Amino acid sequence: MSVAEAGCSLAAPATYADEARLHAALTLLRREAPVHRVEAPGYTPFWAVTRHADIIDVERDHTLWLNAPRPVLRTAALDAALEARRARGGALATLVHLDGRRHRELRAVAADWFRPKAMRDLRARVRELAGRYVAVMAEHGGACDFARDVAAHYPLYVILSLLGLPESDFPRMLRLTQQLFGQDDADTGRGSGTPVDHTSVLEDLFAYFRDLTARRRATPTGDLASEIANARVDGRHLDDNTAASYYIIIATAGHDTTSSTIAGGLDALIRHPAELRRLRADPGLLAPAAEEMIRWVSPVKSFMRTASADTEVRGTPIGEGESVLLAYPSANRDEEVFPDAFRFDAGRDPNRHLAFGSGVHYCLGAALARMEIQELFAVLLPRLTRVEPDGEPAWTATTFVGGLKRLPIRYSLS
Ligand code: HEM
């Protein structure tokens, strides 16, 4: 593949369903063209930034490099549809769409709910949910699709518990969040992956969360949803749109990311049996192993930043208004940072991966994600006496968030 083809492949959802092809493209770009201008059909041109050090440099300078107006890679048609929606006043305005003071103020609304103390309080509930999903595996009687039957559900249930949503609403939320992120994949999207599908999923989510805001203002219930509904910035409640956007970013960002890491983590252990044995023998390795799973899977494929002034990255001039794509899976295989980057090492230390980003937008839920992954494997591994593939795994076609959507396995649980 040529450098130009490698660049264009980053804008094709199908590339991310083929890990070997994805990493071949990223390795080539890191080596030959670490700051590469991509002109892919259907997309406004952008610069692909593939080296670890360059991504950190861009994210560090958050007054030069802004999230607005193009925080994620979308087709020019979808960008236009969302811009039109924004002009009408009904667009998502989440943390990832905001910069500067507004971003800081809004991030502070939920920040305490994700700090270590809050995580300690939540751990027992997370462990209980982890136990529930290991029980689901037992009910399947020795064979299941781990991605679909276990990994897709457990993180969403954790995050919806934190928000304080009733369990009866969980299936609906599962469908909507998968449709929002899985637009480009025939198995998860609502249909053809067009702007209309995307905005119709958003309509449904907005309607659900507007209603939730009203109910939590009427009767606060001590959960994160009540915190958001009743928060005041500059003395005023968040408007309906901002509150709904807040729930949506938490429900969506906290779901597919962690699900993909759990499924991809088990797949990595199956493919590296010595690492599985090592982890089963030494539960002290759970924390570094979870970190390695996050690096290995890198479920967030990219975020973007737009230059607010003429600048350069690694000596390449980039004009005001142009966007860079921060290729996290590439940073996490960067040979300059990770010795033996393509080896899954359950005890890797140090592990300075960028799967959670860096700087002021650093993943708000990182501590929660780590805990969820650790808790699931803490409950599962001591009981998992045998595990092997039971068919071909499959990855989501996406340019944003995804990972394994099918992982058929056979196993024995003690
Ligand atoms: C932001 C990755 C789990 C909530 C982000 C960003 C990345 C990321 C790459 C953007 C960072 C940047 O721009 O520098 C991940 C990964 C996860 C995960 C790999 C799991 C393995 C979660 C969970 C939550 C969450 C469980 C729970 C609420 C958020 C939020 C933001 C965010 C709210 C926006 C932060 C901001 O813009 O200030 N995440 N995430 N994430 N994540 Fe996560």
Side-chain angles (χ1 to χ4, degrees):
M1 128 177 42
S2 68
V3 164
E5 284 164 348
C8 283
S9 76
L10 300 187
T15 306
Y16 298 83
D18 178 349
E19 291 255 295
R21 184 173 156 72
L22 171 67
H23 282 296
L26 293 172
T27 303
L28 181 68
L29 288 169
R30 273 196 309 281
R31 196 177 61 227
E32 305 286 332
V35 183
H36 172 66
R37 186 176 162 85
V38 178
E39 295 185 14
Y43 289 83
T44 307
F46 60 90
W47 296 87
V49 176
T50 43
R51 293 245 184 113
H52 190 279
D54 296 338
I55 293 179
I56 291 186
D57 279 353
V58 169
E59 293 217 50
R60 184 181 293 134
D61 200 344
H62 57 91
T63 50
L64 173 64
W65 292 105
L66 302 181
N67 277 41
R70 200 183 178 193
V72 298
L73 181 64
R74 291 178 297 235
T75 60
L78 186 50
D79 270 335
L82 292 173
E83 195 45 52
R85 201 189 152 100
R86 189 172 313 282
R88 292 198 309 274
L92 270 181
T94 75
L95 295 179
V96 307
H97 296 85
L98 299 170
D99 295 288
R101 178 163 161 245
R102 181 80 180 144
H103 170 256
R104 251 189 336 271
E105 288 171 345
L106 274 186
R107 190 169 161 119
V109 166
D112 280 351
W113 288 74
F114 294 95
R115 290 195 210 285
K117 180 185 171 321
M119 292 304 109
R120 281 195 295 278
D121 295 348
L122 192 61
R123 194 173 277 272
R125 169 76 175 143
V126 171
R127 182 158 287 215
E128 180 203 322
L129 283 168
R132 213 194 274 186
Y133 282 97
V134 176
V136 167
M137 285 178 73
E139 281 162 24
H140 276 277
C144 75
D145 180 338
F146 184 77
R148 193 194 55 202
D149 300 326
V150 177
H153 299 260
Y154 158 71
L156 184 67
Y157 283 26
V158 171
I159 201 74
L160 296 183
S161 298
L162 183 68
L163 275 169
L165 267 50
E167 285 207 21
S168 52
D169 289 356
F170 287 10
R172 180 171 171 200
M173 281 297 120
L174 177 66
R175 206 176 50 248
L176 287 171
T177 58
Q178 286 183 335
Q179 287 175 341
L180 192 69
F181 276 170
Q183 285 299 312
D184 297 318
D185 192 287
D187 284 353
T188 47
R190 184 166 278 195
S192 54
T194 65
V196 175
D197 300 329
H198 189 90
T199 48
S200 78
V201 178
L202 276 181
E203 289 306 342
D204 287 0
L205 280 165
F206 268 111
Y208 177 89
F209 285 120
R210 259 195 303 274
D211 180 52
L212 181 68
T213 306
R215 282 187 281 128
R216 289 298 189 273
R217 279 190 191 149
T219 321
T221 42
D223 45 35
L224 177 54
S226 303
E227 182 83 38
I228 294 168
N230 293 288
R232 289 178 187 271
V233 172
D234 287 337
R236 282 195 303 275
H237 278 144
L238 308 184
D239 60 63
D240 272 359
N241 196 47
T242 309
S245 297
Y246 219 129
Y247 306 126
I248 292 173
I249 184 77
I250 286 177
T252 54
H255 172 208
D256 256 12
T257 47
T258 316
S259 300
S260 299
T261 308
I262 288 170
L266 183 64
D267 182 54
L269 291 175
I270 293 172
R271 287 164 194 258
H272 300 80
E275 296 303 290
L276 174 57
R277 279 195 300 278
R278 197 178 159 206
L279 188 53
R280 274 173 54 87
D282 180 3
L285 283 179
L286 270 171
E291 219 53 46
E292 179 71 339
M293 290 174 185
I294 297 165
R295 178 189 79 91
W296 188 253
V297 175
S298 295
V300 177
K301 305 309 168 196
S302 59
F303 267 97
M304 297 186 87
R305 298 291 188 269
T306 298
S308 63
D310 289 349
T311 182
E312 49 89 24
V313 177
R314 197 175 278 268
T316 302
I318 296 187
E320 178 182 351
E322 294 192 301
S323 304
V324 292
L325 176 120
L326 310 173
Y328 298 124
S330 177
N332 291 344
R333 294 288 194 281
D334 191 332
E335 304 75 2
E336 286 184 1
V337 178
F338 301 99
D340 224 347
F342 283 87
R343 199 175 89 78
F344 180 86
D345 173 0
R348 188 178 286 276
D349 181 27
N351 190 344
R352 296 188 299 115
H353 69 75
L354 293 184
F356 291 124
S358 88
V360 295
H361 286 274
Y362 182 79
C363 176
L364 186 64
L368 176 60
R370 290 182 169 114
M371 178 173 78
E372 284 178 56
I373 298 162
Q374 290 169 23
E375 286 300 324
L376 185 80
F377 286 99
V379 176
L380 174 61
L381 292 184
R383 294 190 53 194
L384 191 66
T385 50
R386 179 186 62 103
V387 59
E388 57 198 47
D390 189 23
E392 284 304 308
W395 279 260
T396 334
T398 178
T399 54
F400 185 30
V401 172
L404 278 169
K405 63 178 177 182
R406 275 198 296 279
L407 181 60
I409 55 169
R410 273 193 310 268
Y411 49 87
S412 305
L413 287 175
S414 64

